[in-house]
Amino acid sequence: MFVVTLEDYKDLTAFIYKKSGINFEDKKRYFINKRLEKRLSSLGIESARDYIRFLKFKDREGEEFQELMNLLTVNETYFFREFSTLEVFAEFCLQEIAEKKEKDKDDTIRIWSAGCSTGEEPYTLAIIVRELLDRHENWNVEILASDIDLNALEKAKSARYDDRSVKDVPEEYYSKYFNYVDGCHIPIKPVRDMVRFEHINLNDKMQMRRQRGFDFIFCRNVLIYFDEISRKQVVDHYYIALNRGGYIFLGHSESVGRITTAFSIKRYGRNVVYYKG
Protein backbone atom coordinates (compact mmCIF):
# COMPACT_ATOMS: atom_id res chain seq x y z
CA MET A 1 0.00 0.00 0.00
CA PHE A 2 1.38 3.39 -1.02
CA VAL A 3 1.68 5.88 1.86
CA VAL A 4 3.21 9.35 1.94
CA THR A 5 4.93 9.74 5.32
CA LEU A 6 4.40 12.94 7.28
CA GLU A 7 8.04 13.92 6.70
CA ASP A 8 7.73 13.42 2.94
CA TYR A 9 4.39 15.22 2.92
CA LYS A 10 5.88 18.28 4.60
CA ASP A 11 8.85 18.24 2.23
CA LEU A 12 6.62 17.93 -0.85
CA THR A 13 4.13 20.59 0.20
CA ALA A 14 6.98 22.99 1.10
CA PHE A 15 8.33 22.48 -2.43
CA ILE A 16 4.87 23.10 -3.94
CA TYR A 17 4.49 26.24 -1.85
CA LYS A 18 7.86 27.61 -2.96
CA LYS A 19 7.04 27.04 -6.62
CA SER A 20 3.36 28.00 -6.73
CA GLY A 21 2.42 29.81 -3.51
CA ILE A 22 -0.28 27.20 -2.90
CA ASN A 23 -0.37 26.04 0.71
CA PHE A 24 -1.58 22.50 1.41
CA GLU A 25 -2.45 21.91 5.08
CA ASP A 26 -1.85 18.62 6.89
CA LYS A 27 -5.51 17.67 6.51
CA LYS A 28 -4.94 17.39 2.72
CA ARG A 29 -2.45 14.55 3.18
CA TYR A 30 -4.95 11.79 2.31
CA PHE A 31 -6.08 13.68 -0.81
CA ILE A 32 -2.50 14.13 -2.03
CA ASN A 33 -1.61 10.54 -1.15
CA LYS A 34 -4.41 9.22 -3.40
CA ARG A 35 -3.49 11.54 -6.27
CA LEU A 36 0.20 10.63 -6.06
CA GLU A 37 -0.40 6.88 -5.93
CA LYS A 38 -1.60 6.69 -9.54
CA ARG A 39 0.93 9.21 -10.82
CA LEU A 40 3.94 7.44 -9.33
CA SER A 41 2.71 4.10 -10.63
CA SER A 42 2.56 5.49 -14.18
CA LEU A 43 6.09 6.92 -13.81
CA GLY A 44 7.53 3.73 -12.33
CA ILE A 45 8.62 5.58 -9.18
CA GLU A 46 8.21 3.53 -6.01
CA SER A 47 8.22 6.09 -3.18
CA ALA A 48 7.24 9.67 -2.43
CA ARG A 49 10.85 10.33 -1.40
CA ASP A 50 12.11 9.28 -4.84
CA TYR A 51 9.42 11.41 -6.48
CA ILE A 52 10.45 14.48 -4.47
CA ARG A 53 14.08 13.93 -5.52
CA PHE A 54 12.90 13.67 -9.12
CA LEU A 55 11.02 16.97 -8.86
CA LYS A 56 13.95 18.77 -7.26
CA PHE A 57 16.86 17.49 -9.32
CA LYS A 58 15.67 15.95 -12.59
CA ASP A 59 12.59 17.96 -13.57
CA ARG A 60 14.64 20.83 -14.97
CA GLU A 61 11.96 22.09 -17.38
CA GLY A 62 9.21 21.81 -14.78
CA GLU A 63 7.11 19.46 -16.88
CA GLU A 64 6.47 17.01 -14.05
CA PHE A 65 5.72 19.81 -11.61
CA GLN A 66 3.09 21.01 -14.06
CA GLU A 67 1.60 17.50 -14.16
CA LEU A 68 1.51 17.56 -10.35
CA MET A 69 -0.32 20.89 -10.35
CA ASN A 70 -2.81 19.55 -12.88
CA LEU A 71 -3.49 16.66 -10.49
CA LEU A 72 -3.81 18.67 -7.30
CA THR A 73 -5.71 21.81 -8.28
CA VAL A 74 -9.48 21.59 -7.81
CA ASN A 75 -11.59 23.05 -10.61
CA GLU A 76 -14.98 23.72 -9.03
CA THR A 77 -16.86 26.26 -11.14
CA TYR A 78 -19.94 26.88 -13.29
CA PHE A 79 -21.52 29.66 -15.33
CA PHE A 80 -22.90 32.66 -13.40
CA ARG A 81 -21.43 31.46 -10.11
CA GLU A 82 -21.93 33.87 -7.15
CA PHE A 83 -24.52 35.84 -9.09
CA SER A 84 -24.72 38.77 -6.66
CA THR A 85 -21.09 39.68 -7.39
CA LEU A 86 -21.77 39.57 -11.11
CA GLU A 87 -24.80 41.83 -10.65
CA VAL A 88 -22.68 44.50 -8.98
CA PHE A 89 -20.09 44.22 -11.73
CA ALA A 90 -22.69 44.44 -14.50
CA GLU A 91 -25.07 47.06 -13.14
CA PHE A 92 -22.66 49.45 -11.42
CA CYS A 93 -18.94 48.91 -11.96
CA LEU A 94 -19.01 48.13 -15.68
CA GLN A 95 -21.27 51.10 -16.39
CA GLU A 96 -19.06 53.44 -14.34
CA ILE A 97 -15.86 52.40 -16.11
CA ALA A 98 -17.56 52.64 -19.52
CA GLU A 99 -18.82 56.17 -18.85
CA LYS A 100 -15.37 57.28 -17.72
CA LYS A 101 -13.70 55.79 -20.76
CA GLU A 102 -16.20 57.39 -23.11
CA LYS A 103 -15.31 60.80 -21.66
CA ASP A 104 -11.62 59.98 -22.13
CA LYS A 105 -12.28 58.73 -25.69
CA ASP A 106 -10.88 55.32 -24.71
CA ASP A 107 -12.73 52.39 -26.35
CA THR A 108 -10.85 49.52 -24.64
CA ILE A 109 -12.04 47.59 -21.59
CA ARG A 110 -9.71 44.91 -20.20
CA ILE A 111 -10.77 42.16 -17.78
CA TRP A 112 -8.61 39.48 -16.16
CA SER A 113 -10.16 36.24 -14.94
CA ALA A 114 -7.32 34.85 -12.79
CA GLY A 115 -7.65 31.22 -11.80
CA CYS A 116 -10.25 30.76 -14.53
CA SER A 117 -10.28 26.96 -14.20
CA THR A 118 -12.27 25.39 -17.07
CA GLY A 119 -13.46 28.72 -18.45
CA GLU A 120 -16.98 29.21 -17.15
CA GLU A 121 -16.13 32.53 -15.47
CA PRO A 122 -14.48 34.35 -18.40
CA TYR A 123 -17.21 33.21 -20.80
CA THR A 124 -19.79 34.41 -18.27
CA LEU A 125 -18.10 37.81 -18.19
CA ALA A 126 -18.12 37.93 -21.99
CA ILE A 127 -21.87 37.24 -22.00
CA ILE A 128 -22.51 39.95 -19.40
CA VAL A 129 -20.50 42.49 -21.40
CA ARG A 130 -22.37 41.68 -24.61
CA GLU A 131 -25.70 41.86 -22.83
CA LEU A 132 -25.29 44.91 -20.60
CA LEU A 133 -22.63 47.16 -22.10
CA ASP A 134 -24.37 49.73 -24.30
CA ARG A 135 -23.28 49.42 -27.94
CA HIS A 136 -20.85 46.65 -27.01
CA GLU A 137 -19.91 46.24 -30.66
CA ASN A 138 -18.22 49.67 -30.54
CA TRP A 139 -15.95 48.60 -27.69
CA ASN A 140 -12.70 46.70 -27.81
CA VAL A 141 -13.23 44.27 -24.91
CA GLU A 142 -10.28 42.06 -23.97
CA ILE A 143 -10.76 39.21 -21.49
CA LEU A 144 -7.60 37.44 -20.30
CA ALA A 145 -8.32 34.08 -18.67
CA SER A 146 -5.43 32.41 -16.84
CA ASP A 147 -4.81 29.33 -14.73
CA ILE A 148 -1.93 27.18 -13.49
CA ASP A 149 -3.65 23.95 -14.60
CA LEU A 150 -2.93 23.21 -18.27
CA ASN A 151 -5.60 20.50 -18.44
CA ALA A 152 -8.23 22.96 -17.21
CA LEU A 153 -7.10 25.52 -19.79
CA GLU A 154 -7.40 22.97 -22.59
CA LYS A 155 -10.96 22.21 -21.52
CA ALA A 156 -11.70 25.93 -21.33
CA LYS A 157 -10.44 26.43 -24.88
CA SER A 158 -12.59 23.56 -26.13
CA ALA A 159 -15.63 25.30 -24.55
CA ARG A 160 -17.74 22.15 -24.27
CA TYR A 161 -19.74 21.93 -21.05
CA ASP A 162 -22.07 19.50 -19.29
CA ASP A 163 -25.47 20.18 -17.74
CA ARG A 164 -24.04 21.06 -14.34
CA SER A 165 -21.93 23.89 -15.75
CA VAL A 166 -24.95 25.69 -17.21
CA LYS A 167 -27.43 25.00 -14.40
CA ASP A 168 -27.49 28.66 -13.26
CA VAL A 169 -27.56 30.30 -16.68
CA PRO A 170 -30.71 32.45 -17.02
CA GLU A 171 -32.94 30.98 -19.73
CA GLU A 172 -32.95 34.16 -21.82
CA TYR A 173 -29.14 34.12 -21.84
CA TYR A 174 -28.89 30.43 -22.62
CA SER A 175 -31.09 30.67 -25.70
CA LYS A 176 -29.12 33.65 -26.95
CA TYR A 177 -25.54 32.68 -26.15
CA PHE A 178 -25.33 28.86 -26.22
CA ASN A 179 -25.66 26.05 -28.73
CA TYR A 180 -26.38 22.44 -27.77
CA VAL A 181 -24.25 20.09 -29.85
CA ASP A 182 -23.60 16.37 -29.34
CA GLY A 183 -24.67 16.48 -25.70
CA CYS A 184 -22.55 19.54 -24.87
CA HIS A 185 -23.42 23.16 -24.14
CA ILE A 186 -21.14 25.43 -26.20
CA PRO A 187 -20.93 29.25 -25.94
CA ILE A 188 -21.44 30.89 -29.32
CA LYS A 189 -18.34 31.91 -31.29
CA PRO A 190 -18.64 35.69 -30.66
CA VAL A 191 -18.50 34.95 -26.92
CA ARG A 192 -15.57 32.55 -27.27
CA ASP A 193 -13.66 35.02 -29.42
CA MET A 194 -13.70 37.61 -26.63
CA VAL A 195 -11.57 35.41 -24.36
CA ARG A 196 -7.81 34.81 -24.58
CA PHE A 197 -6.34 32.02 -22.45
CA GLU A 198 -2.86 32.06 -20.94
CA HIS A 199 -0.95 29.76 -18.59
CA ILE A 200 0.03 31.88 -15.56
CA ASN A 201 1.39 30.85 -12.17
CA LEU A 202 0.24 33.55 -9.74
CA ASN A 203 3.39 32.98 -7.71
CA ASP A 204 5.65 33.68 -10.70
CA LYS A 205 6.81 37.27 -10.17
CA MET A 206 8.07 37.69 -13.75
CA GLN A 207 4.75 36.59 -15.23
CA MET A 208 2.78 38.77 -12.85
CA ARG A 209 4.86 41.88 -13.53
CA ARG A 210 4.00 41.65 -17.21
CA GLN A 211 0.28 42.06 -16.49
CA ARG A 212 -0.79 45.69 -16.75
CA GLY A 213 -3.67 47.92 -17.74
CA PHE A 214 -6.73 46.03 -16.47
CA ASP A 215 -10.03 47.65 -15.56
CA PHE A 216 -11.33 44.57 -13.70
CA ILE A 217 -9.66 41.60 -12.05
CA PHE A 218 -11.68 38.58 -10.96
CA CYS A 219 -9.85 36.16 -8.66
CA ARG A 220 -12.72 34.38 -6.96
CA ASN A 221 -12.15 31.41 -4.64
CA VAL A 222 -8.50 31.11 -5.65
CA LEU A 223 -6.57 32.79 -2.85
CA ILE A 224 -8.15 30.49 -0.26
CA TYR A 225 -5.42 28.01 -1.29
CA PHE A 226 -2.64 30.51 -0.48
CA ASP A 227 -1.20 31.41 2.89
CA GLU A 228 -1.16 34.98 4.24
CA ILE A 229 2.23 35.91 2.79
CA SER A 230 1.72 34.60 -0.75
CA ARG A 231 -1.87 35.90 -0.77
CA LYS A 232 -0.67 39.43 -0.10
CA GLN A 233 2.04 39.17 -2.75
CA VAL A 234 -0.53 38.19 -5.36
CA VAL A 235 -2.96 40.96 -4.41
CA ASP A 236 -0.13 43.51 -4.45
CA HIS A 237 0.56 42.45 -8.04
CA TYR A 238 -3.13 42.86 -8.85
CA TYR A 239 -3.03 46.41 -7.50
CA ILE A 240 -0.19 47.26 -9.88
CA ALA A 241 -1.95 45.50 -12.78
CA LEU A 242 -5.14 47.54 -12.37
CA ASN A 243 -5.76 50.92 -13.96
CA ARG A 244 -6.61 53.78 -11.62
CA GLY A 245 -10.27 53.32 -10.69
CA GLY A 246 -10.21 49.62 -11.64
CA TYR A 247 -12.03 46.99 -9.57
CA ILE A 248 -10.98 43.70 -7.98
CA PHE A 249 -13.45 40.93 -7.14
CA LEU A 250 -12.66 38.03 -4.80
CA GLY A 251 -14.97 35.21 -3.68
CA HIS A 252 -17.73 35.56 -1.09
CA SER A 253 -15.59 33.99 1.64
CA GLU A 254 -12.62 36.23 0.86
CA SER A 255 -11.97 39.89 1.71
CA VAL A 256 -9.50 42.23 0.04
CA GLY A 257 -9.53 44.36 3.21
CA ARG A 258 -8.13 41.49 5.28
CA ILE A 259 -5.22 41.11 2.85
CA THR A 260 -4.18 44.71 2.16
CA THR A 261 -5.21 48.30 2.88
CA ALA A 262 -4.10 49.51 -0.56
CA PHE A 263 -7.58 49.41 -2.11
CA SER A 264 -10.42 51.85 -1.56
CA ILE A 265 -14.01 50.80 -0.82
CA LYS A 266 -17.38 51.54 -2.40
CA ARG A 267 -20.79 50.26 -1.32
CA TYR A 268 -23.58 49.30 -3.69
CA GLY A 269 -26.54 48.33 -1.50
CA ARG A 270 -25.33 45.54 0.78
CA ASN A 271 -22.32 44.81 -1.43
CA VAL A 272 -18.83 46.12 -0.73
CA VAL A 273 -16.46 46.45 -3.70
CA TYR A 274 -12.77 47.28 -3.77
CA TYR A 275 -11.08 49.51 -6.31
CA LYS A 276 -7.74 51.17 -6.99
CA GLY A 277 -8.22 54.75 -5.84
Side-chain angles (χ1 to χ4, degrees), residues 59-115:
D59 186 34
R60 298 190 183 279
E61 301 300 320
E63 293 180 3
E64 179 55 32
F65 182 75
Q66 181 60 59
E67 291 293 335
L68 179 62
M69 287 295 91
N70 294 349
L71 277 176
L72 299 183
T73 48
V74 178
N75 300 303
E76 169 65 23
T77 186
Y78 46 88
F79 285 90
F80 289 87
R81 186 181 186 186
E82 296 184 354
F83 191 77
S84 61
T85 299
L86 298 174
E87 279 187 308
V88 173
F89 161 70
E91 295 178 9
F92 300 104
C93 305
L94 179 62
Q95 309 307 324
E96 176 192 300
I97 292 292
E99 288 173 12
K100 179 179 182 298
K101 283 180 174 281
E102 283 184 325
K103 290 177 183 177
D104 296 339
K105 295 183 169 31
D106 180 357
D107 66 353
T108 297
I109 291 177
R110 299 189 70 225
I111 304 170
W112 182 7
S113 171

Side-chain angles (χ1 to χ4, degrees), residues 24-48:
F24 286 101
E25 300 174 349
D26 288 350
K27 63 184 180 182
K28 291 286 187 179
R29 186 174 159 198
Y30 176 78
F31 163 76
I32 289 181
N33 190 99
K34 297 302 289 183
R35 294 295 174 98
L36 282 185
E37 187 173 9
K38 291 183 179 178
R39 182 62 187 164
L40 268 61
S41 176
S42 67
L43 291 172
I45 296 176
E46 294 184 356
S47 71

Side-chain angles (χ1 to χ4, degrees), residues 182-234:
D182 296 331
C184 294
H185 308 274
I186 304 174
I188 61 173
K189 190 174 187 301
V191 167
R192 302 198 307 272
D193 288 347
M194 292 173 68
V195 181
R196 174 175 65 87
F197 292 97
E198 187 174 340
H199 178 240
I200 296 177
N201 178 348
L202 299 180
N203 199 49
D204 187 321
K205 293 180 176 60
M206 292 299 292
Q207 282 187 310
M208 295 295 278
R209 286 171 185 158
R210 288 196 292 267
Q211 311 307 323
R212 293 287 190 277
F214 291 97
D215 301 296
F216 303 97
I217 295 177
F218 284 78
C219 184
R220 299 190 294 166
N221 308 301
V222 175
L223 297 180
I224 55 175
Y225 300 106
F226 290 63
D227 74 348
E228 186 174 341
I229 295 172
S230 53
R231 194 178 295 135
K232 187 178 187 310
Q233 289 173 343
V234 172

Side-chain angles (χ1 to χ4, degrees), residues 119-156:
E120 286 92 333
E121 178 178 86
Y123 290 135
T124 294
L125 296 173
I127 290 169
I128 289 173
V129 168
R130 295 183 68 84
E131 189 69 20
L132 295 175
L133 183 63
D134 289 342
R135 302 180 304 280
H136 71 81
E137 64 277 1
N138 295 332
W139 288 90
N140 176 29
V141 179
E142 302 174 3
I143 301 176
L144 168 64
S146 71
D147 205 274
I148 194 172
D149 185 338
L150 285 172
N151 291 338
L153 286 175
E154 285 304 310
K155 181 173 181 182

